Amino acid sequence: MAREQKAEADALQDRVVHIARVAKVVKGGRRFSFSALVVVGDGKDRVGYGLGKAGEVPDAIRKASDQAKKNMVRIPTFDGTIPYEVEGRYGSCIVLMHPAQKGKGIIAGGAVRVITELAGIRDIVCKVHGTKNAGSVVRATIDGLQQLMTIEEYAARKGVDPSHAQQKRSEFDTKKKAKSARDPKAKKA
C-alpha cells in the first residue's frame, strides 16, 4: 500500500504558477512572508491546485504542493481534448474552453496552459475574460474542468446519441462562417 502511494506521488508533477511577497503591518513595521500558488497533476487525467504561505519561498511552495495533492480532481478527456465547450467562472474571471482538433495543441496562456498540460489535455483552445489574476484564473479553470463529464454521461443527460454529442472545433468554425455569410451585420472574423 505504501509503495503504491509513493509510486503515485512520484508520477505527480508540480508547477509554480505565482509567487507573491505579502506583508502584514504590525506595531513595529511590516512583516514580510511569501505566498505561492502551485498546480499539481499526473499528466493523464488528474489535477489540483494549492496555496501556501510561509516566511521563505521554498517552504511556501512545499505547503502549496501538499495542499494541491489533497485537492486533486479527475478530468474526463476524449481523444486528448475536452468532450465539449465549457465555461469556468470565479469572481470576475471567466475562462472559455473549447475542444480542438488533434494536433492543434494547447492554445492558452499562463495559468490555464499549466493546468491543461498537467491534466493531460493535448488539444484545447482557451480564452480568459475579466481579471487575469493568477489565483482567479486557476480557480475558474478548475471550475470549468470540474463541470465536464464523459461523452456517455453528457449524451444521456441531453438525450442524444453519444456519437453526435462530441463537439469539434471545426464544426463551430463552419457554423460561425455560415452565420456571418447569412447575416450582413455580423462582424467579419
Side-chain angles (χ1 to χ4, degrees), residues 21-34 53:
R21 188 180 79 164
V22 294
K24 176 183 178 183
V25 180
V26 293
K27 187 177 176 184
R30 295 188 188 103
R31 287 229 177 107
F32 294 104
S33 62
F34 293 90
K53 277 201 235 177

Side-chain angles (χ1 to χ4, degrees), residues 29 33 45 53 64-65 84-85 113 118 123 136 172 176 180:
S33 62
D45 64 347
K53 277 201 235 177
S65 181
Y84 49 88
E85 275 189 10
R113 173 178 288 274
L118 292 177
D123 304 301
S136 296
F172 297 119
K176 189 175 177 183
S180 64

Side-chain angles (χ1 to χ4, degrees), residues 85-103:
E85 275 189 10
V86 71
E87 177 181 294
R89 290 175 174 262
Y90 182 83
S92 66
C93 180
I94 301 168
V95 178
L96 303 173
M97 292 174 267
H98 304 280
Q101 292 176 337
K102 195 175 193 87

Side-chain angles (χ1 to χ4, degrees), residues 76 83-86 147-162 164-167 172:
Y84 49 88
E85 275 189 10
V86 71
Q147 294 172 25
L148 292 173
M149 42 187 128
T150 63
I151 293 288
E152 291 77 21
E153 292 170 351
Y154 180 76
R157 180 176 276 187
K158 295 289 182 181
V160 295
D161 184 41
H164 298 295
Q166 169 64 24
Q167 296 178 345
F172 297 119

Side-chain angles (χ1 to χ4, degrees), residues 1 4 7 28 37 40 46-47 50 52 63 67 70 72 79 94 122-123 127-128 140 150 153 156 165-166 168 170 185:
M1 181 80 176
E4 291 173 9
L37 180 63
V40 173
R46 292 180 19 183
V47 70
K63 284 181 181 180
Q67 185 184 1
K70 293 175 188 173
M72 299 209 40
D79 202 25
I94 301 168
R122 295 185 305 275
D123 304 301
K127 178 64 182 157
V128 178
T150 63
E153 292 170 351
Q166 169 64 24
K168 294 188 174 43
S170 61
K185 294 180 184 177

